[in-house]
Tab-separated table of all heavy atoms in Angstrom:
chain	number	residue	atom	x	y	z
A	1	SER	N	141.226	107.999	107.407
A	1	SER	CA	141.250	106.664	108.027
A	1	SER	C	141.842	105.604	107.117
A	1	SER	O	142.107	104.521	107.586
A	1	SER	CB	139.823	106.311	108.517
A	1	SER	OG	138.871	106.495	107.480
A	2	ASP	N	141.981	105.924	105.875
A	2	ASP	CA	142.525	104.963	104.942
A	2	ASP	C	143.061	105.748	103.673
A	2	ASP	O	142.371	106.593	103.182
A	2	ASP	CB	141.410	104.015	104.447
A	2	ASP	CG	141.878	102.595	104.275
A	2	ASP	OD1	143.040	102.306	104.584
A	2	ASP	OD2	141.030	101.790	103.841
A	3	GLY	N	144.323	105.478	103.306
A	3	GLY	CA	144.877	106.189	102.151
A	3	GLY	C	145.318	107.620	102.518
A	3	GLY	O	145.270	108.015	103.699
A	4	GLY	N	145.759	108.315	101.519
A	4	GLY	CA	146.273	109.679	101.752
A	4	GLY	C	145.355	110.744	101.135
A	4	GLY	O	144.452	110.389	100.321
A	5	PRO	N	145.551	111.999	101.488
A	5	PRO	CA	144.739	113.097	100.945
A	5	PRO	C	144.765	113.027	99.376
A	5	PRO	O	145.800	112.850	98.812
A	5	PRO	CB	145.438	114.354	101.426
A	5	PRO	CG	146.136	113.888	102.679
A	5	PRO	CD	146.552	112.516	102.401
A	6	ARG	N	143.620	113.216	98.810
A	6	ARG	CA	143.407	113.307	97.343
A	6	ARG	C	143.781	112.022	96.636
A	6	ARG	O	143.949	111.962	95.422
A	6	ARG	CB	144.206	114.509	96.787
A	6	ARG	CG	143.660	115.827	97.296
A	6	ARG	CD	144.561	116.997	97.034
A	6	ARG	NE	145.805	117.007	97.787
A	6	ARG	CZ	145.914	117.272	99.075
A	6	ARG	NH1	144.875	117.521	99.811
A	6	ARG	NH2	147.108	117.306	99.610
A	7	GLU	N	143.951	110.897	97.348
A	7	GLU	CA	144.238	109.624	96.760
A	7	GLU	C	142.912	108.850	96.522
A	7	GLU	O	142.131	108.636	97.451
A	7	GLU	CB	145.143	108.804	97.731
A	7	GLU	CG	145.507	107.482	97.268
A	7	GLU	CD	146.359	106.786	98.330
A	7	GLU	OE1	147.415	107.320	98.756
A	7	GLU	OE2	145.983	105.696	98.768
A	8	ILE	N	142.673	108.480	95.237
A	8	ILE	CA	141.455	107.741	94.912
A	8	ILE	C	141.349	106.488	95.812
A	8	ILE	O	142.353	105.755	95.922
A	8	ILE	CB	141.399	107.391	93.421
A	8	ILE	CG1	141.503	108.635	92.572
A	8	ILE	CG2	140.139	106.594	93.081
A	8	ILE	CD1	140.436	109.711	92.816
A	9	GLY	N	140.228	106.309	96.424
A	9	GLY	CA	140.027	105.194	97.355
A	9	GLY	C	140.236	105.545	98.796
A	9	GLY	O	139.907	104.756	99.681
A	10	ALA	N	140.806	106.700	99.078
A	10	ALA	CA	141.019	107.145	100.442
A	10	ALA	C	139.710	107.366	101.176
A	10	ALA	O	138.696	107.698	100.545
A	10	ALA	CB	141.843	108.477	100.452
A	11	THR	N	139.655	107.153	102.443
A	11	THR	CA	138.495	107.443	103.246
A	11	THR	C	138.804	108.492	104.302
A	11	THR	O	139.921	108.625	104.771
A	11	THR	CB	137.934	106.157	103.970
A	11	THR	OG1	138.952	105.585	104.769
A	11	THR	CG2	137.480	105.150	102.921
A	12	ARG	N	137.768	109.279	104.578
A	12	ARG	CA	137.842	110.295	105.643
A	12	ARG	C	136.612	110.157	106.497
A	12	ARG	O	135.593	109.587	106.060
A	12	ARG	CB	137.871	111.692	105.020
A	12	ARG	CG	136.564	112.060	104.332
A	12	ARG	CD	136.584	113.449	103.747
A	12	ARG	NE	135.268	113.759	103.149
A	12	ARG	CZ	134.881	114.917	102.673
A	12	ARG	NH1	135.798	115.865	102.596
A	12	ARG	NH2	133.709	115.092	102.178
A	13	SER	N	136.708	110.603	107.747
A	13	SER	CA	135.545	110.537	108.639
A	13	SER	C	135.516	111.721	109.513
A	13	SER	O	136.501	112.423	109.763
A	13	SER	CB	135.652	109.264	109.503
A	13	SER	OG	136.809	109.247	110.265
A	14	ILE	N	134.274	112.004	110.007
A	14	ILE	CA	134.080	113.062	110.945
A	14	ILE	C	132.855	112.765	111.819
A	14	ILE	O	131.899	112.146	111.333
A	14	ILE	CB	133.853	114.454	110.259
A	14	ILE	CG1	133.882	115.605	111.226
A	14	ILE	CG2	132.580	114.445	109.437
A	14	ILE	CD1	133.961	117.012	110.634
A	15	GLU	N	132.957	113.101	113.086
A	15	GLU	CA	131.857	112.940	114.025
A	15	GLU	C	131.171	114.314	114.107
A	15	GLU	O	131.833	115.266	114.593
A	15	GLU	CB	132.359	112.450	115.377
A	15	GLU	CG	131.281	112.199	116.399
A	15	GLU	CD	130.539	110.876	116.161
A	15	GLU	OE1	131.144	109.929	115.631
A	15	GLU	OE2	129.341	110.824	116.493
A	16	ILE	N	129.950	114.427	113.745
A	16	ILE	CA	129.221	115.691	113.723
A	16	ILE	C	128.324	115.701	114.990
A	16	ILE	O	127.430	114.830	115.081
A	16	ILE	CB	128.384	115.923	112.438
A	16	ILE	CG1	129.317	115.849	111.206
A	16	ILE	CG2	127.623	117.215	112.529
A	16	ILE	CD1	128.572	115.910	109.896
A	17	PRO	N	128.527	116.662	115.902
A	17	PRO	CA	127.687	116.681	117.117
A	17	PRO	C	126.175	116.688	116.748
A	17	PRO	O	125.757	117.318	115.811
A	17	PRO	CB	128.080	118.007	117.778
A	17	PRO	CG	129.434	118.318	117.227
A	17	PRO	CD	129.441	117.762	115.792
A	18	ASP	N	125.484	115.904	117.500
A	18	ASP	CA	124.013	115.707	117.351
A	18	ASP	C	123.608	115.003	116.082
A	18	ASP	O	122.394	114.795	115.859
A	18	ASP	CB	123.285	117.056	117.412
A	18	ASP	CG	123.554	117.832	118.730
A	18	ASP	OD1	123.632	117.171	119.802
A	18	ASP	OD2	123.651	119.053	118.702
A	19	LEU	N	124.522	114.667	115.203
A	19	LEU	CA	124.166	113.920	113.959
A	19	LEU	C	124.857	112.598	113.858
A	19	LEU	O	124.242	111.639	113.344
A	19	LEU	CB	124.513	114.770	112.720
A	19	LEU	CG	123.775	116.085	112.579
A	19	LEU	CD1	124.237	116.848	111.342
A	19	LEU	CD2	122.261	115.829	112.510
A	20	GLY	N	126.123	112.458	114.274
A	20	GLY	CA	126.759	111.172	114.262
A	20	GLY	C	127.897	111.118	113.285
A	20	GLY	O	128.379	112.142	112.737
A	21	LEU	N	128.380	109.896	113.040
A	21	LEU	CA	129.581	109.662	112.221
A	21	LEU	C	129.253	109.651	110.719
A	21	LEU	O	128.236	109.102	110.291
A	21	LEU	CB	130.196	108.275	112.617
A	21	LEU	CG	131.463	107.884	111.886
A	21	LEU	CD1	132.622	108.754	112.284
A	21	LEU	CD2	131.755	106.411	112.172
A	22	ILE	N	130.177	110.293	109.943
A	22	ILE	CA	130.103	110.233	108.521
A	22	ILE	C	131.432	109.686	108.009
A	22	ILE	O	132.477	110.132	108.452
A	22	ILE	CB	129.869	111.631	107.901
A	22	ILE	CG1	128.517	112.209	108.281
A	22	ILE	CG2	130.030	111.659	106.368
A	22	ILE	CD1	127.360	111.494	107.636
A	23	VAL	N	131.402	108.705	107.114
A	23	VAL	CA	132.597	108.124	106.506
A	23	VAL	C	132.396	108.195	105.003
A	23	VAL	O	131.447	107.709	104.471
A	23	VAL	CB	132.870	106.705	106.973
A	23	VAL	CG1	134.185	106.172	106.322
A	23	VAL	CG2	132.912	106.603	108.482
A	24	ASP	N	133.369	108.837	104.317
A	24	ASP	CA	133.333	109.025	102.854
A	24	ASP	C	134.520	108.349	102.191
A	24	ASP	O	135.608	108.330	102.799
A	24	ASP	CB	133.426	110.509	102.423
A	24	ASP	CG	132.299	111.359	102.974
A	24	ASP	OD1	131.239	110.830	103.196
A	24	ASP	OD2	132.516	112.586	103.105
A	25	ARG	N	134.327	107.884	100.967
A	25	ARG	CA	135.431	107.308	100.161
A	25	ARG	C	135.560	108.120	98.869
A	25	ARG	O	134.586	108.319	98.173
A	25	ARG	CB	135.194	105.854	99.845
A	25	ARG	CG	136.335	105.319	98.950
A	25	ARG	CD	136.327	103.804	98.866
A	25	ARG	NE	136.707	103.247	100.177
A	25	ARG	CZ	135.906	102.393	100.895
A	25	ARG	NH1	134.753	102.020	100.399
A	25	ARG	NH2	136.295	101.973	102.033
A	26	LEU	N	136.777	108.629	98.617
A	26	LEU	CA	137.009	109.451	97.465
A	26	LEU	C	137.056	108.599	96.183
A	26	LEU	O	137.762	107.577	96.160
A	26	LEU	CB	138.385	110.153	97.613
A	26	LEU	CG	138.816	111.173	96.530
A	26	LEU	CD1	137.833	112.381	96.507
A	26	LEU	CD2	140.223	111.582	96.757
A	27	PHE	N	136.337	108.998	95.133
A	27	PHE	CA	136.362	108.213	93.889
A	27	PHE	C	136.694	109.057	92.640
A	27	PHE	O	136.917	108.492	91.587
A	27	PHE	CB	135.117	107.358	93.667
A	27	PHE	CG	133.863	108.073	93.431
A	27	PHE	CD1	133.501	108.543	92.157
A	27	PHE	CD2	132.929	108.298	94.417
A	27	PHE	CE1	132.357	109.191	91.885
A	27	PHE	CE2	131.757	109.004	94.166
A	27	PHE	CZ	131.431	109.425	92.917
A	28	ALA	N	136.819	110.353	92.829
A	28	ALA	CA	137.222	111.208	91.704
A	28	ALA	C	137.843	112.477	92.253
A	28	ALA	O	137.367	112.995	93.253
A	28	ALA	CB	136.058	111.527	90.757
A	29	TYR	N	138.856	113.006	91.589
A	29	TYR	CA	139.552	114.226	92.002
A	29	TYR	C	140.127	114.929	90.830
A	29	TYR	O	140.741	114.279	89.946
A	29	TYR	CB	140.716	113.857	92.998
A	29	TYR	CG	141.295	115.086	93.684
A	29	TYR	CD1	140.743	115.573	94.815
A	29	TYR	CD2	142.356	115.740	93.102
A	29	TYR	CE1	141.237	116.716	95.429
A	29	TYR	CE2	142.881	116.870	93.726
A	29	TYR	CZ	142.334	117.355	94.877
A	29	TYR	OH	142.810	118.463	95.458
A	30	SER	N	139.924	116.246	90.781
A	30	SER	CA	140.430	117.044	89.625
A	30	SER	C	140.840	118.432	90.139
A	30	SER	O	140.058	119.047	90.893
A	30	SER	CB	139.364	117.184	88.549
A	30	SER	OG	139.806	118.053	87.569
A	31	ARG	N	142.013	118.869	89.756
A	31	ARG	CA	142.443	120.208	90.091
A	31	ARG	C	142.995	120.853	88.866
A	31	ARG	O	144.071	120.385	88.327
A	31	ARG	CB	143.479	120.176	91.197
A	31	ARG	CG	143.866	121.568	91.641
A	31	ARG	CD	144.315	121.598	93.055
A	31	ARG	NE	144.513	123.037	93.395
A	31	ARG	CZ	145.187	123.452	94.381
A	31	ARG	NH1	145.834	122.587	95.145
A	31	ARG	NH2	145.335	124.735	94.636
A	32	GLU	N	142.346	121.846	88.389
A	32	GLU	CA	142.759	122.603	87.196
A	32	GLU	C	142.824	124.076	87.551
A	32	GLU	O	142.265	124.474	88.583
A	32	GLU	CB	141.805	122.338	86.052
A	32	GLU	CG	141.803	120.839	85.635
A	32	GLU	CD	140.873	120.560	84.512
A	32	GLU	OE1	140.447	121.481	83.771
A	32	GLU	OE2	140.494	119.385	84.374
A	33	PRO	N	143.390	124.938	86.694
A	33	PRO	CA	143.545	126.351	87.050
A	33	PRO	C	142.226	127.085	87.334
A	33	PRO	O	142.185	127.951	88.220
A	33	PRO	CB	144.181	126.957	85.794
A	33	PRO	CG	144.918	125.824	85.189
A	33	PRO	CD	144.089	124.637	85.466
């Protein structure tokens, strides 16, 4: 919903049946071997 994949500050959301909306903001990302 804001920013791009794996971009610090990006937000993602999902509507989970019977539970409701979840909105997360990415603040750290690391990919190593």
Side-chain angles (χ1 to χ4, degrees):
S1 49
D2 219 4
R6 296 168 291 287
E7 180 181 304
I8 302 303
T11 57
R12 67 179 183 176
S13 60
I14 191 168
E15 184 77 30
I16 301 173
D18 301 323
L19 295 178
L21 181 69
I22 294 290
V23 182
D24 298 335
R25 178 166 292 122
L26 185 67
F27 68 84
Y29 189 89
S30 174
R31 184 153 186 200
E32 298 180 20

